[in-house]
């Protein structure tokens, strides 16, 4: 099982993670079952094999396990600067990236929820509030609730249409990920953003933890669909 989850010798997974994944697979669980237990949902390409999905799950579990382990740092160590980060990345051969909202801030793509993005400076309703009000929803959060989507998918389709119209472009951060991948040092990027700008920058080793406006699939059979055709 360990060999199945080690595509390159330099990217060795912890034995405990490989054993845990092996146990879940032995119980005939799917990668999606494991992610559901972790409270996650990864958007995947239609051409991706089950083995590739298991590999992505294994790397994500390994990273979460690593982040949860207490780490010590010298008392004299200061905050890591951009120069420090550039030096570390320049010499790194295996980089695993967790992408957050800051990576897309300069692209103009609206973030939600975020106090900084909650309302325009002039006090007018933001995009999410406008779409929610247009469809009679009590709060913007209702746009993302499955019960609301099942009852009426039009509000979410409307929001996706508004987001796609913005034609935001990848930022320097997204381009850096693409450069790391071309260099062969990017293990994988896990993005909490839905803008899909990692893929737009050319990054292929990316998983969208909350989905992507650039990807869509049927909720019943999971067949891929063209997001551009989804309209309210």
């Amino acid at each position: 099982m360990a060999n199945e989850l080690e595509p390159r010798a330099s990217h060795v997974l912890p034995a405990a993670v490989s054993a845990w994944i092996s146990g879940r697979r032995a119980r005939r669980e799917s990668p999606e079952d494991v992610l559901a237990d972790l409270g996650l949902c990864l958007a995947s390409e239609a051409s991706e094999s089950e083995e590739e999905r298991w590999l992505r799950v294994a790397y994500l579990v390994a990273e979460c396990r690593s982040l949860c382990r207490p780490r010590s740092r010298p008392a004299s160590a200061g905050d890591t600067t951009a120069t420090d980060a550039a030096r570390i990345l320049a010499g790194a051969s295996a980089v695993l990236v967790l992408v957050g909202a800051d990576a897309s801030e300069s692209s103009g793509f609206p973030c939600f929820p975020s106090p900084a993005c909650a309302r325009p400076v002039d006090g007018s309703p933001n995009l999410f509030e406008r779409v929610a009000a247009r469809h009679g929803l009590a709060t913007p959060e209702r746009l993302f609730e499955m019960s609301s989507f099942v009852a009426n998918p039009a509000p979410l389709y409307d929001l996706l249409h508004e987001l796609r119209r913005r034609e935001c472009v990848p930022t320097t951060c997204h381009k850096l990920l693409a450069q790391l991948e071309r260099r062969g040092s990017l293990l994988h990027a896990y993005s909490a953003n839905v803008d899909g700008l990692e893929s737009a920058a050319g990054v292929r080793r990316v998983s969208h933890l909350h989905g992507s406006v650039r990807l869509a699939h049927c909720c019943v059979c999971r067949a891929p669909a063209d997001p551009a055709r989804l309209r309210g």
Side-chain angles (χ1 to χ4, degrees), residues 28-224:
R28 298 186 179 279
E29 297 183 27
S30 68
E32 290 72 24
D33 293 332
V34 175
L35 290 173
D37 288 347
L38 297 175
L40 300 173
C41 177
L42 299 187
S44 60
E45 301 291 344
S47 60
E48 190 175 48
S49 68
E50 182 178 8
E51 203 62 44
E52 289 171 324
R53 297 203 307 277
W54 274 117
L55 180 61
R56 292 196 293 123
V57 170
Y59 279 136
L60 179 58
V61 171
E63 179 63 13
C64 291
R65 182 173 179 266
S66 175
L67 291 174
C68 291
R69 183 181 300 116
R71 298 180 181 181
S72 60
R73 60 185 302 187
S76 60
D79 293 334
T80 301
T81 65
T83 302
D84 294 332
R87 174 179 51 79
I88 294 171
L89 289 175
S93 60
V95 182
L96 191 64
V97 181
L98 303 180
V99 186
D102 288 345
S104 299
E105 184 176 358
S106 62
S107 73
F109 194 93
C111 51
F112 179 87
S114 169
C117 304
R119 187 177 290 277
V121 292
D122 63 0
S124 61
N126 63 26
L127 171 64
F128 305 98
E129 291 171 329
R130 292 198 304 272
V131 174
R134 192 154 63 218
H135 292 274
L137 298 180
T139 65
E141 286 80 5
R142 292 285 291 167
L143 290 165
F144 307 100
E145 294 178 2
M146 180 58 74
S147 59
S148 294
F149 177 77
V150 171
N152 180 16
L156 183 59
Y157 289 169
D158 190 7
L159 175 63
L160 292 177
H161 178 57
E162 292 279 357
L163 293 174
R164 289 175 59 83
R165 284 177 54 192
R166 293 180 175 242
E167 298 181 351
C168 299
V169 297
T171 66
T172 301
C173 181
H174 302 117
K175 295 174 182 177
L176 173 61
L177 294 179
Q179 183 178 353
L180 290 172
E181 186 173 52
R182 288 193 297 270
R183 195 178 73 181
S185 56
L186 179 67
L187 276 175
H188 207 83
Y190 293 95
S191 177
N193 302 333
V194 300
D195 49 51
L197 291 178
E198 300 85 7
S199 299
V203 181
R204 300 184 62 185
R205 291 175 174 266
V206 60
S207 299
H208 303 97
L209 302 179
H210 303 300
S212 168
V213 298
R214 300 170 188 268
L215 297 171
H217 65 263
C218 174
C219 294
V220 178
C221 68
R222 304 192 68 82

